[in-house]
Amino acid sequence: MAAAVLALAVAGAGGARAQGLAEYDYENLSFRGIGVHAGYNWADKVEGTTTFGFRVDLGYLGPGVRIVPTLNFWKSDLETEELVELAASISALPSIADEGIVVTADELGGIEWSDLAFGLDAQYVWATPSPLLAYLGIGIGLHSLNGKGAAIDGTFIEDLLDSFAAGISPLGGVEYMLEERLRVYGEVRWNLLSDLSFGGVALGVQFMVRDRDPGVVGRVDPPPPSAVPSL
Protein backbone atom coordinates (compact mmCIF):
# COMPACT_ATOMS: atom_id res chain seq x y z
CA MET A 1 0.00 0.00 0.00
CA ALA A 2 2.87 2.39 0.79
CA ALA A 3 4.28 1.92 -2.71
CA ALA A 4 0.92 2.77 -4.26
CA VAL A 5 0.63 5.99 -2.26
CA LEU A 6 4.22 6.89 -3.13
CA ALA A 7 3.64 6.22 -6.80
CA LEU A 8 0.54 8.40 -6.90
CA ALA A 9 2.46 11.22 -5.25
CA VAL A 10 5.17 11.02 -7.90
CA ALA A 11 2.58 11.08 -10.66
CA GLY A 12 1.04 14.22 -9.22
CA ALA A 13 4.43 15.90 -8.91
CA GLY A 14 5.13 15.12 -12.54
CA GLY A 15 2.14 17.16 -13.65
CA ALA A 16 0.00 14.25 -14.84
CA ARG A 17 -3.72 14.70 -15.11
CA ALA A 18 -5.72 13.49 -12.15
CA GLN A 19 -6.35 9.81 -12.60
CA GLY A 20 -9.00 7.65 -10.99
CA LEU A 21 -7.73 5.24 -8.40
CA ALA A 22 -9.10 2.42 -10.55
CA GLU A 23 -6.31 3.08 -13.08
CA TYR A 24 -3.65 2.25 -10.47
CA ASP A 25 -3.66 -1.42 -9.61
CA TYR A 26 -1.04 -4.00 -8.66
CA GLU A 27 -2.59 -6.31 -11.23
CA ASN A 28 -1.05 -4.05 -13.90
CA LEU A 29 2.45 -5.00 -12.76
CA SER A 30 4.47 -7.73 -14.45
CA PHE A 31 8.14 -8.54 -14.98
CA ARG A 32 9.44 -6.61 -18.02
CA GLY A 33 13.20 -6.67 -17.73
CA ILE A 34 16.32 -6.55 -15.58
CA GLY A 35 19.18 -4.06 -15.65
CA VAL A 36 22.72 -3.97 -14.30
CA HIS A 37 24.69 -0.79 -13.67
CA ALA A 38 27.88 0.69 -12.28
CA GLY A 39 28.56 4.22 -11.12
CA TYR A 40 30.27 6.55 -8.70
CA ASN A 41 29.14 7.91 -5.32
CA TRP A 42 30.05 11.02 -3.37
CA ALA A 43 29.33 10.80 0.36
CA ASP A 44 29.68 13.11 3.33
CA LYS A 45 31.66 10.70 5.56
CA VAL A 46 33.56 8.35 3.26
CA GLU A 47 35.80 8.73 0.26
CA GLY A 48 34.22 8.77 -3.19
CA THR A 49 33.83 5.25 -4.51
CA THR A 50 32.36 3.04 -7.22
CA THR A 51 28.96 1.44 -6.82
CA PHE A 52 27.37 -1.60 -8.42
CA GLY A 53 23.80 -2.80 -8.61
CA PHE A 54 20.85 -4.04 -10.57
CA ARG A 55 17.20 -3.20 -10.98
CA VAL A 56 14.04 -5.06 -11.95
CA ASP A 57 11.45 -3.43 -14.20
CA LEU A 58 7.99 -4.43 -12.94
CA GLY A 59 6.10 -2.28 -15.41
CA TYR A 60 3.44 0.33 -14.74
CA LEU A 61 1.19 0.58 -11.72
CA GLY A 62 -0.86 3.09 -13.71
CA PRO A 63 -0.41 5.83 -16.32
CA GLY A 64 3.21 6.98 -16.23
CA VAL A 65 4.08 5.32 -12.91
CA ARG A 66 6.68 2.55 -13.11
CA ILE A 67 7.71 0.39 -10.15
CA VAL A 68 11.37 -0.65 -9.97
CA PRO A 69 12.96 -2.71 -7.15
CA THR A 70 16.73 -2.12 -6.84
CA LEU A 71 19.79 -3.58 -5.12
CA ASN A 72 22.99 -1.51 -4.79
CA PHE A 73 26.36 -2.00 -3.10
CA TRP A 74 29.39 0.15 -2.37
CA LYS A 75 32.33 0.18 0.04
CA SER A 76 34.83 2.89 0.88
CA ASP A 77 37.22 4.20 3.54
CA LEU A 78 36.19 6.71 6.16
CA GLU A 79 37.51 10.20 5.48
CA THR A 80 40.40 11.44 7.62
CA GLU A 81 38.16 14.04 9.26
CA GLU A 82 35.74 11.31 10.30
CA LEU A 83 38.56 9.23 11.78
CA VAL A 84 39.75 12.23 13.80
CA GLU A 85 36.21 12.90 15.03
CA LEU A 86 35.66 9.24 15.89
CA ALA A 87 38.95 9.09 17.81
CA ALA A 88 38.00 12.20 19.77
CA SER A 89 34.59 10.74 20.61
CA ILE A 90 36.18 7.53 21.88
CA SER A 91 38.73 9.45 23.95
CA ALA A 92 35.87 11.40 25.56
CA LEU A 93 34.09 8.29 26.82
CA PRO A 94 34.21 8.28 30.66
CA SER A 95 35.69 4.77 30.88
CA ILE A 96 38.59 5.87 28.64
CA ALA A 97 38.99 9.50 29.71
CA ASP A 98 39.21 8.47 33.39
CA GLU A 99 42.23 6.34 32.50
CA GLY A 100 43.89 9.28 30.77
CA ILE A 101 43.96 7.46 27.45
CA VAL A 102 43.92 9.51 24.24
CA VAL A 103 42.98 7.63 21.10
CA THR A 104 44.33 9.02 17.83
CA ALA A 105 43.16 8.60 14.23
CA ASP A 106 46.46 6.84 13.41
CA GLU A 107 45.75 4.23 16.08
CA LEU A 108 42.36 3.51 14.55
CA GLY A 109 44.03 2.93 11.19
CA GLY A 110 41.97 2.54 8.05
CA ILE A 111 38.28 1.87 8.58
CA GLU A 112 36.13 0.62 5.72
CA TRP A 113 32.39 1.25 5.56
CA SER A 114 30.10 -0.57 3.15
CA ASP A 115 26.43 -0.37 2.24
CA LEU A 116 24.12 -3.03 0.79
CA ALA A 117 20.78 -1.42 0.02
CA PHE A 118 17.50 -2.88 -1.14
CA GLY A 119 15.12 -0.25 -2.51
CA LEU A 120 11.81 0.26 -4.23
CA ASP A 121 11.49 3.14 -6.72
CA ALA A 122 8.37 4.80 -8.04
CA GLN A 123 9.30 6.52 -11.32
CA TYR A 124 7.19 8.90 -13.38
CA VAL A 125 8.14 8.12 -17.00
CA TRP A 126 7.39 10.12 -20.11
CA ALA A 127 8.34 10.06 -23.79
CA THR A 128 10.41 12.91 -25.25
CA PRO A 129 10.58 14.24 -28.84
CA SER A 130 13.86 12.31 -29.14
CA PRO A 131 14.28 8.51 -28.89
CA LEU A 132 14.89 8.95 -25.15
CA LEU A 133 12.53 8.15 -22.30
CA ALA A 134 12.93 10.38 -19.26
CA TYR A 135 11.90 9.76 -15.68
CA LEU A 136 11.83 11.37 -12.26
CA GLY A 137 11.04 9.54 -9.08
CA ILE A 138 11.62 8.75 -5.48
CA GLY A 139 12.80 5.58 -3.79
CA ILE A 140 12.56 4.12 -0.33
CA GLY A 141 15.23 1.71 0.85
CA LEU A 142 16.70 -0.36 3.64
CA HIS A 143 20.47 0.04 4.02
CA SER A 144 22.72 -2.49 5.74
CA LEU A 145 25.85 -0.58 6.81
CA ASN A 146 28.95 -2.49 7.89
CA GLY A 147 32.22 -1.22 9.32
CA LYS A 148 35.56 -3.05 9.14
CA GLY A 149 39.09 -2.33 10.31
CA ALA A 150 42.00 -4.17 11.90
CA ALA A 151 41.83 -1.95 14.98
CA ILE A 152 38.06 -2.10 15.46
CA ASP A 153 37.01 -5.63 14.50
CA GLY A 154 35.19 -7.25 17.40
CA THR A 155 34.97 -4.01 19.39
CA PHE A 156 32.12 -1.68 20.31
CA ILE A 157 33.35 0.70 17.59
CA GLU A 158 32.49 -1.86 14.94
CA ASP A 159 29.09 -2.25 16.57
CA LEU A 160 28.54 1.50 16.25
CA LEU A 161 29.28 1.39 12.53
CA ASP A 162 27.15 -1.70 11.88
CA SER A 163 23.50 -0.79 11.51
CA PHE A 164 20.32 -0.99 9.50
CA ALA A 165 18.87 2.31 8.35
CA ALA A 166 15.91 3.42 6.26
CA GLY A 167 16.53 5.95 3.52
CA ILE A 168 14.77 8.01 0.89
CA SER A 169 16.19 8.71 -2.58
CA PRO A 170 15.12 11.41 -5.05
CA LEU A 171 16.25 10.34 -8.53
CA GLY A 172 16.07 11.02 -12.25
CA GLY A 173 17.30 9.45 -15.44
CA VAL A 174 16.99 8.75 -19.14
CA GLU A 175 16.75 5.56 -21.23
CA TYR A 176 17.62 4.81 -24.84
CA MET A 177 16.56 1.73 -26.79
CA LEU A 178 19.54 0.27 -28.66
CA GLU A 179 17.57 -2.71 -29.92
CA GLU A 180 14.15 -4.17 -29.41
CA ARG A 181 15.21 -6.00 -26.25
CA LEU A 182 18.16 -3.88 -25.14
CA ARG A 183 18.31 -0.46 -23.48
CA VAL A 184 20.97 1.71 -21.91
CA TYR A 185 20.17 4.08 -19.09
CA GLY A 186 21.79 6.84 -17.08
CA GLU A 187 20.66 7.91 -13.64
CA VAL A 188 21.42 10.41 -10.90
CA ARG A 189 20.32 9.73 -7.34
CA TRP A 190 20.65 11.29 -3.90
CA ASN A 191 20.34 9.02 -0.85
CA LEU A 192 19.28 10.47 2.49
CA LEU A 193 19.77 8.40 5.67
CA SER A 194 19.57 9.49 9.28
CA ASP A 195 23.35 9.74 9.73
CA LEU A 196 24.67 9.57 6.17
CA SER A 197 23.90 11.12 2.81
CA PHE A 198 25.44 10.42 -0.57
CA GLY A 199 24.76 11.18 -4.19
CA GLY A 200 25.83 9.35 -7.28
CA VAL A 201 25.59 8.73 -10.99
CA ALA A 202 25.24 5.39 -12.72
CA LEU A 203 25.22 3.96 -16.24
CA GLY A 204 23.60 0.65 -17.02
CA VAL A 205 22.16 -1.73 -19.56
CA GLN A 206 18.72 -3.32 -19.33
CA PHE A 207 17.54 -6.52 -21.01
CA MET A 208 13.83 -6.52 -21.81
CA VAL A 209 11.39 -9.37 -22.03
CA ARG A 210 8.74 -6.96 -23.33
CA ASP A 211 9.45 -4.24 -25.88
CA ARG A 212 6.54 -1.88 -25.30
CA ASP A 213 5.96 0.82 -22.68
CA PRO A 214 2.16 1.01 -22.61
CA GLY A 215 2.17 3.13 -19.45
CA VAL A 216 4.53 5.85 -20.69
CA VAL A 217 2.95 9.30 -20.79
CA GLY A 218 3.27 10.89 -24.24
CA ARG A 219 4.03 7.62 -26.04
CA VAL A 220 2.18 7.23 -29.33
CA ASP A 221 2.58 3.71 -30.69
CA PRO A 222 2.51 3.19 -34.46
CA PRO A 223 -0.68 1.70 -35.89
CA PRO A 224 -0.79 -2.04 -36.50
CA PRO A 225 0.16 -3.19 -40.03
CA SER A 226 -3.47 -3.90 -40.91
CA ALA A 227 -4.32 -0.25 -40.30
CA VAL A 228 -1.58 1.11 -42.57
CA PRO A 229 -2.89 1.71 -46.12
CA SER A 230 -0.95 -0.09 -48.82
CA LEU A 231 0.91 2.01 -51.34
Side-chain angles (χ1 to χ4, degrees):
M1 180 61 74
V5 174
L6 182 63
L8 291 175
V10 173
R17 295 179 303 171
Q19 301 288 342
L21 289 178
E23 296 185 75
Y24 296 88
D25 195 317
Y26 286 109
E27 293 184 357
N28 296 332
L29 300 179
S30 62
F31 176 71
R32 299 178 65 252
I34 187 168
V36 293
H37 55 260
Y40 195 84
N41 279 349
W42 295 268
D44 58 359
K45 293 185 178 182
V46 297
E47 302 290 343
T49 186
T50 53
T51 181
F52 305 94
F54 72 88
R55 71 181 194 179
V56 177
D57 188 335
L58 291 184
Y60 292 82
L61 185 68
V65 181
R66 182 172 63 184
I67 303 300
V68 182
T70 64
L71 185 68
N72 291 283
F73 175 80
W74 58 260
K75 64 179 179 179
S76 184
D77 295 325
L78 284 181
E79 293 180 336
T80 302
E81 295 81 358
E82 287 298 318
L83 287 173
V84 171
E85 184 176 334
L86 179 59
S89 298
I90 296 171
S91 299
L93 293 174
S95 59
I96 294 179
D98 291 346
E99 297 293 329
I101 299 173
V102 177
V103 179
T104 67
D106 290 337
E107 290 174 321
L108 291 178
I111 295 179
E112 183 182 86
W113 215 7
S114 65
D115 177 32
L116 178 65
F118 171 76
L120 185 65
D121 295 348
Q123 302 173 351
Y124 182 72
V125 187
W126 69 94
T128 70
S130 71
L132 295 174
L133 292 180
Y135 62 91
L136 292 173
I138 193 165
I140 54 176
L142 178 63
H143 297 254
S144 175
L145 297 165
N146 182 47
K148 284 185 177 181
I152 69 167
D153 288 346
T155 70
F156 74 95
I157 304 173
E158 182 184 12
D159 293 337
L160 291 175
L161 294 175
D162 294 348
S163 64
F164 289 95
I168 189 168
S169 306
L171 60 99
V174 293
E175 297 177 14
Y176 179 77
M177 183 179 294
L178 289 176
E179 297 179 2
E180 182 177 343
R181 304 291 186 183
L182 184 64
R183 298 182 181 184
V184 293
Y185 61 92
E187 185 175 283
V188 295
R189 178 185 294 261
W190 189 260
N191 300 272
L192 301 170
L193 286 67
S194 58
D195 59 351
L196 178 68
S197 63
F198 55 94
V201 296
L203 293 175
V205 58
Q206 181 162 313
F207 305 92
M208 305 295 295
V209 298
R210 298 187 181 183
D211 60 344
R212 293 289 183 184
D213 291 278
V216 172
V217 172
R219 165 64 56 84
V220 178
D221 289 328
S226 60
V228 179
S230 59
L231 297 179

